[in-house]
Amino acid sequence: MNKSNPMTDTSLPANWFSRLAHPGVFLSWSRNWIAPLAALTIILFTIGLWYSFFNSPPDYQMGETVRIMYIHVPSAWLSQMIYTLMAVSAIGTLVWRHPMADMSMKAAAPLGAAFTAVALFTGALWGRPTWGTFWEWDGRMTSTLVLFLMYLGLVALWRTFEGQARGTRIIAIFTLVGALNIPIIKFSVDWWNTLHQPSIIKADGLSMPASIYTPLLIMVVAFTALFFTLHLVGMRTEILRHRANSLERRHVSARNGTSSGTTS
Amino acid sequence: MAIIVRDIRLTLRSGGSTITLLAFFLSVGVIIPIAVGPDKETLARLAPAIIWIAALLSTLLGLDRLFVADHEDGTNASLHHASISLEAISFAKLIVHWLVSALPLIVATPFMAIMLIMDMPTLLRTIAALMLGTPALVALGAFGASIAVTLKRGGVLAPILIMPLAVPVLIFGVSAISPAPGSGTSEAAFMFLGALSLLAFAFTPFAIALALRAAHE
């Protein structure tokens, strides 16, 4: 199966994407991509961290604590991007039943949970010196927390369905329903918050000087590169685990076959 | 229609479950005042939140048997080959589930209101808000149950999955009852609540049918 040439595989339309996304082909090309991507991630992090710690001015109001932003904003961006990626993969699972979409969803869920946790944690650390509190039931924070709970639910779902083929489709359905719900949750939380108390985060608008904007942008790209590196590794691991499982199953059934053959 | 009648009859015959739900709903209403303290003002302020939390928890509690029994005895498998679509069947199931699990709670709400020292206008608003909001809770809960139908420990997992999705219902449900500082927000909350229920009832049958088909594969 994995030795078959995807070019001759007539069940898939012969375009570049399906050729790249064939599990066997994916394994071979992604192997060459991991090292450069990891190197790019390290370089970007080196530049970005150097910029954010040594080559950017402290904020005139928040002082040195503004540097937390260089970790906080990229992970918050990833927390939303990863869910979008999972929703797109879920469509791939439901519509085309593509195995790579399953792998992509499965590998992305724990990463999304981790980056959302980082965003919440750094946000709490940043909130303490600037607002005087670790946590505030602010609209944006609350919806990020709800998003974190959804990631945890998805990770739990993947664990419970471990090894069941039908699980992926069910999880894909839940991911999509969640994606449709996120805007509703966000809207309702904003509505609820403005009802009870005025919002306090207006500190970082878009009007920031280039000396802060540049390292932030580098860090966002660095975090994104980090995610894609980890995601590729995660997907490769999933494919290999899948193959190891089916090999084991084949081995067991073959041995059972021979043993039953000798006894009869 | 036949499915509605069959399911209602099954639930009534097995009995118990609706009464269990009611008992659970009321005991949440008893336990929170005991924990918070019998101070009348505090209770009156917390009452809408307590009622909504009790309603959410008892809806989640009643979920686990919704599809599991049909999955185990093979009814789902035969419904797959029925002449009407699985979507229509899911819709019927939603209606039944609302009738047997949410409606009794709404009927019991006046007793909760007495315990929580609610005044008459608040009680009427609470009942209206529950009427509008519980269909969304039931639909979301049924969706969670359909996700977990093949799982042995699904009864624990489904509430965890559904809780984040139920956040908007809770927000608009409570704001519809407790008078807001700005004028007109209560009416707006009522409308959002109704919109959520309509959306949930319109779309979840398709999601449930998809999940049941995937479970059947």
Side-chain angles (χ1 to χ4, degrees), chain B residues 34-104:
Chain B
I34 290 175
V36 171
D39 177 39
K40 287 196 175 186
E41 263 176 46
T42 321
L43 274 186
R45 201 158 44 82
L46 290 180
I50 294 173
I51 288 188
W52 267 104
I53 289 173
L56 174 66
L57 290 181
S58 21
T59 313
L60 293 179
L61 186 78
L63 292 177
D64 54 335
R65 299 307 297 169
L66 184 55
F67 295 110
V68 172
D70 279 355
H71 183 73
E72 280 168 355
D73 67 9
T75 312
N76 274 357
S78 65
L79 288 179
H80 275 282
H81 307 292
S83 53
I84 49 171
S85 65
L86 206 52
E87 282 82 1
I89 295 169
S90 311
F91 189 70
K93 287 241 170 201
L94 285 187
I95 296 173
V96 174
H97 194 51
W98 187 80
L99 286 176
V100 300
S101 74
L103 200 58

